[in-house]
């Protein structure tokens, strides 16, 4: 190595000690120290987000360079200036890129600094820079991370380096209020590790941007009103605070997100306009007595109607252009473009290089020479190219291991050795270490469950998902240990019979059915289905669904909208199988969604998915998610003591809780055809502009 990075590395590794305030409180941790067990879950699209950060030279945008390692999930980058932040880079003579970014490694998020060395005069081809001799070409320096904190901290939004402080978003502090976002902006002094929260308590901030001088940080924030379930535009306002300590907080722009500074008083930001198009705006802030003035800011729209332009990146050295992500009519893909703010012209960048890929969240180097962004690396990167079929995720709770599987509705067999799941279309069974996956039905199915007594018997429902009460959906059992699989249809009439869960004595199956015109719970004979015996468990003009039978046989937990039928708001309840003892377990604030309860093997806890922690980033900065607020939580089986398990801006859902607690290793799918095949935000899809006027009704449909 030409330069001495060893000292720098050892110095920077010290920074892991920060954020030590977020330890599990003794009392709570104690409650979860049961027998060892595992929770497996699914995350919509996530196994396919093999993101890396790339850059283009603005003067010659034909050569795309991958800057990150081609192995981790790397996103939301920021070019740190060579001169300012890091003393150890001062004597560095070759041109280099100093990239600060978010990285997910082994199931937890960190912020890294990569110093990538290359000489433009050598015209280094992307491939020779990657993979090989990374020691020489790239130095990776972890800045802050949760490796030492068991999944309790999580960074999502783009970080900034100012002086020797890192400014970033983390979701590790519980605001103590259901359905409030945990996102807040922090500043960590990298030489000492001392960390300051810049966001006031009780407020959520997203998408921070530090001004060129470092004095100010702009954020998108709800202010006091909080989150209302938005998954398209969050409806945030832009606030500016002093980067030093979060003081002088003032609202400078009503209705806007994703701020970016061109100079210390000029901000670009995005908002969805009344005409339905997302557009980028420019605001010149007024300063009085060294402080910003809230009232008089005038914002002008800079990008035209007729296409979506969002997530702007201002350019500091050359103020004539900005970078934006766009969705053009007729295109399914999100691309990075420059926009000349003087001539009002777009210059397309990524469409010519990779037309059929989504490109996210551009950022520009301090000298305005490079534009960076992230996209899925595909199968040509030289790094890991396969989708992860099983991915170990850091768990904040002792004795509970956590892993994500590349399918949905997983369920553990009673001995914990196998997992059934669905992957459209079809039902699969694999060993719980991810090996030996095989299809046991090719039909479109959802929600699997195992019989407790008859080995190898799996229940599922076949038919369309998210369907009306009268849709043709029936519950079947499959004996996955039989050569002919012994399929058996248990319900009759197909009136949306779904979410089977078997009683521990092996005699009964509880399920939900739309046969009365409403989705309510019923119990039928496990062997002969409803022909053998059928009892109605719940009754009312609402939806009861996603039922799970407790291991001691005494309770059935389920999700219901009975308190506000048809509103889309779901809470968890439990009831005895004989219909007595109904109890509400948890509600995620008014209008909230809590779903998919699953009892722990000892019956003392319930895993669930919920919007209890709001959203963790602006949804438009991510690929499409149906429920970007979905995170996993655990409660005690009386509904108390909620603990957050995952911190995502994706939909983590459909947990199952099983007996096995070995640490699960990552398992790759050998067939990687599907890597990178995920959707951009569906609500950006626009075929014609005419329907947009009608207040986004078309866009609101998901
Ligand atoms: C937690 O445990 C530590 C050490 O075991 C002890 O010093 C501390 O007082 C405990 N805190 C609480 C809140 O019980
Ligand atoms: C994990 O569970 C085992 C078995 O119940 C127990 O002996 C052990 O103390 C637990 N460990 C932790 C860290 O809770
Ligand atoms: C940088 O170079 C100067 C002179 O060449 C030297 O005095 C200084 O110690 C160097 N700084 C570092 C951090 O290596
Ligand atoms: C993940 O963990 C494994 C085993 O602990 C380790 O070998 C590997 O380097 C880690 N991967 C990353 C990207 O940190
Ligand atoms: C209903 O079942 C519960 C336990 O499953 C039992 O404690 C209770 O006595 C039963 N009630 C009736 C009326 O049978």
């Amino acid at each position: 190595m030409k330069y001495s990075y060893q000292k720098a590395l050892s110095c920077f590794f010290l920074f892991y000690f920060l954020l030590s305030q977020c330890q599990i409180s003794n009392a709570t941790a104690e409650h979860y120290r049961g027998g060892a067990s595992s929770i497996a879950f699914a995350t919509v699209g996530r196994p396919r987000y093999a993101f890396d950060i790339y850059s283009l030279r603005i003067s010659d945008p034909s050569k795309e360079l991958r800057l990150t390692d081609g192995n981790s999930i790397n996103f939301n980058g920021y070019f740190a200036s060579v001169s300012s932040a890091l003393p150890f880079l001062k004597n560095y003579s070759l041109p280099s890129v100093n990239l600060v970014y978010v990285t997910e490694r082994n199931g937890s998020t960190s912020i890294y600094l990569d110093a990538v060395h290359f000489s433009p005069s050598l015209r280094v081809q992307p491939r020779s820079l990657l993979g090989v001799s990374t020691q020489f070409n790239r130095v990776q320096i972890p800045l802050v991370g949760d490796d030492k904190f068991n999944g309790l901290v999580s960074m999502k939004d783009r970080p900034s380096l100012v002086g020797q402080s890192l400014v970033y978003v983390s979701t590790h502090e519980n605001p103590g209020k259901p359905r409030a976002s945990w996102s807040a902006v922090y500043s960590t002094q990298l030489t000492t590790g001392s960390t300051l929260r810049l966001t006031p308590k009780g407020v959520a901030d997203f998408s921070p941007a530090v001004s060129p001088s470092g004095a100010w940080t702009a954020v998108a924030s709800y202010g006091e009103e909080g989150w209302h379930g938005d998954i398209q535009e969050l409806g945030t306002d832009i606030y500016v605070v002093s980067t030093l300590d979060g003081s002088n907080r003032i609202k400078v722009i009503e209705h806007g997100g994703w701020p970016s500074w061109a100079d210390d008083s000029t901000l670009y930001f995005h908002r969805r306009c009344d005409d339905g198009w997302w557009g980028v705006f420019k605001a010149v802030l007024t300063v009085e007595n060294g402080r910003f003035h809230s009232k008089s800011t005038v914002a002008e729209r800079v990008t035209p109607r007729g296409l979506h332009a969002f997530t702007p990146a201002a350019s500091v050295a050359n103020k004539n252009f900005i970078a934006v992500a766009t969705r053009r009519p007729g295109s399914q893909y999100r691309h990075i473009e420059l926009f000349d703010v003087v001539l009002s012209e777009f210059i397309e960048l990524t469409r010519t290089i990779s037309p059929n890929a989504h490109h996210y969240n551009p950022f520009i180097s301090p000298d305005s020479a490079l534009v960076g962004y992230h996209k899925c690396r595909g199968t040509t990167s030289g790094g890991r190219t396969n989708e992860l079929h099983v991915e170990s995720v850091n768990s904040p709770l002792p004795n509970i291991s956590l892993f994500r599987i590349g399918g949905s509705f997983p369920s553990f067999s009673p001995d914990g050795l196998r997992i059934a799941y669905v992957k459209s279309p079809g039902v699969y069974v694999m060993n719980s270490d991810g090996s030996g996956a095989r299809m046991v039905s090719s039909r479109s199915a959802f929600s699997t469950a195992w019989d407790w007594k008859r080995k190898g018997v799996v229940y599922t429902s076949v038919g369309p998902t998210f369907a009306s009460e009268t849709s043709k959906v029936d519950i079947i059992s499959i004996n996955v240990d039989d050569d002919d699989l012994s399929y058996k249809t248990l319900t009759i009439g197909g009136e949306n019979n779904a979410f089977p869960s078997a009683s521990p004595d092996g005699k009964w199956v509880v399920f939900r059915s739309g046969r009365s015109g409403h989705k309510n719970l019923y119990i039928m004979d496990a062997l002969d289905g409803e022909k053998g015996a059928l009892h109605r468990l719940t009754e009312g003009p609402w939806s009861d669904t996603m039922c799970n039978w407790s291991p001691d046989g005494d309770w059935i937990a389920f999700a219901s909208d009975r308190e506000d039928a048809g509103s889309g708001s779901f809470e968890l309840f439990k009831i005895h199988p004989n219909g007595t003892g109904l109890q509400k377990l948890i509600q995620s604030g008014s209008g909230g969604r809590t779903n998919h309860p699953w009892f722990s093997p000892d019956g003392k806890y319930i895993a669930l998915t919920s919007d209890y922690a709001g959203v963790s980033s602006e949804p438009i900065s991510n690929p499409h998610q149906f429920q970007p607020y979905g995170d996993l939580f655990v409660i005690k089986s009386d509904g108390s003591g909620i603990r957050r398990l995952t911190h995502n801006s994706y939909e983590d859902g459909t947990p199952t809780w099983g007996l096995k607690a070995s640490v699960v290793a990552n398992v790759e799918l050998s067939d990687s055809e599907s890597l990178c095949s995920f959707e951009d935000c569906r609500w950006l899809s626009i075929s014609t502009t005419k329907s947009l006027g009608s207040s986004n009704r078309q866009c609101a449909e998901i």
Side-chain angles (χ1 to χ4, degrees), residues 553-555 576-581:
D554 275 352
W555 292 103
H576 287 310
N578 61 16
T580 66

Side-chain angles (χ1 to χ4, degrees), residues 182-240:
W182 295 27
S183 287
V185 175
Y186 297 83
S187 165
T188 292
Q189 234 281 334
L190 293 179
T191 45
T192 63
S194 93
T195 295
L196 206 63
R197 180 179 164 122
L198 302 184
T199 302
K201 294 264 182 217
V203 170
D205 284 343
F206 306 92
S207 317
V210 176
S211 69
S213 77
W216 303 105
T217 295
V219 296
S221 181
Y222 288 124
E224 306 290 326
E225 307 94 70
W227 184 64
H228 299 294
D230 335 290
I231 58 162
Q232 300 187 14
E233 196 192 16
L234 290 189
T236 50
D237 301 322
I238 294 176
Y239 288 72
V240 171

